[in-house]
Amino acid sequence: MSTKLVIGLDGHSSGDRALEFAKTLATQIGACELLVVYVIEWSPYSFQTAEENAQRHKRREEEISTANERVVAPAVASLSDSGLNAIGRVRHGNVADTLNSIAKETGASQIIVGRSTESGLSKRIFGSSTANLVMEASVPVTVVN
């Protein structure tokens, strides 16, 4: 039986640090599956016309493709080149909720993320995605500086 680790990337250097930590940890563990995840913040709660919804759907598909191409695929390739078993996913939603849901769905034993890069007013009002994940996760969360 292999250990499953979820790695949350944010497209910044904090995600790169989380990826490197996960790579080291997976090497130490041995039989390990790595699930690289990029979550695009997205709220399903908005009121729009049918035309706006069609455009929104198209934009979602474009965002998924771009995130996969620029963030997830290179990370998965880097892990695979190191001899590790890795797959990637891009999802829309709340970062903390989505990472926790994926960990539950896949039976992951841990979530690894980089320290939040959020700052300013939105962080003070809503809290950071990392802090919310640590408080809500159903599995241990490692936050990499």
Side-chain angles (χ1 to χ4, degrees):
M1 185 170 164
S2 68
T3 301
K4 292 182 184 177
L5 304 175
V6 172
I7 309 161
L9 299 184
D10 61 1
H12 300 290
S13 61
S14 55
D16 296 339
R17 292 190 306 273
L19 191 66
E20 284 305 311
F21 179 84
K23 187 185 292 188
T24 301
L25 185 59
T27 302
Q28 293 169 348
I29 292 172
C32 195
E33 293 178 51
L34 301 171
L35 180 53
V36 178
V37 179
Y38 183 86
V39 180
I40 302 167
E41 281 284 345
W42 188 273
S43 173
Y45 307 108
S46 64
F47 300 98
Q48 300 178 352
T49 66
E51 183 178 283
E52 289 170 327
N53 282 334
Q55 291 172 350
R56 188 176 193 210
H57 179 74
K58 181 181 178 189
R59 194 170 62 245
R60 277 181 60 139
E61 297 304 315
E62 290 169 355
E63 289 174 342
I64 289 171
S65 177
T66 299
N68 190 51
E69 180 183 308
R70 293 183 184 172
V71 179
V72 174
V76 169
S78 170
L79 293 169
S80 296
D81 290 347
S82 296
L84 298 169
N85 181 13
I87 60 171
R89 288 191 187 165
V90 178
R91 295 254 179 103
H92 280 91
N94 174 279
V95 173
D97 293 342
T98 303
L99 288 174
N100 190 42
S101 293
I102 289 171
K104 285 181 189 177
E105 289 168 15
T106 62
S109 58
Q110 185 175 6
I111 301 170
I112 301 168
V113 294
R115 186 172 48 90
S116 176
T117 56
E118 296 175 31
S119 62
L121 183 62
S122 67
K123 182 177 179 181
R124 287 190 294 255
I125 293 172
F126 302 110
S128 75
S129 298
T130 303
N132 292 335
L133 178 63
V134 169
M135 291 187 291
E136 299 170 8
S138 57
V139 298
V141 177
T142 298
V143 181
V144 180
N145 272 334

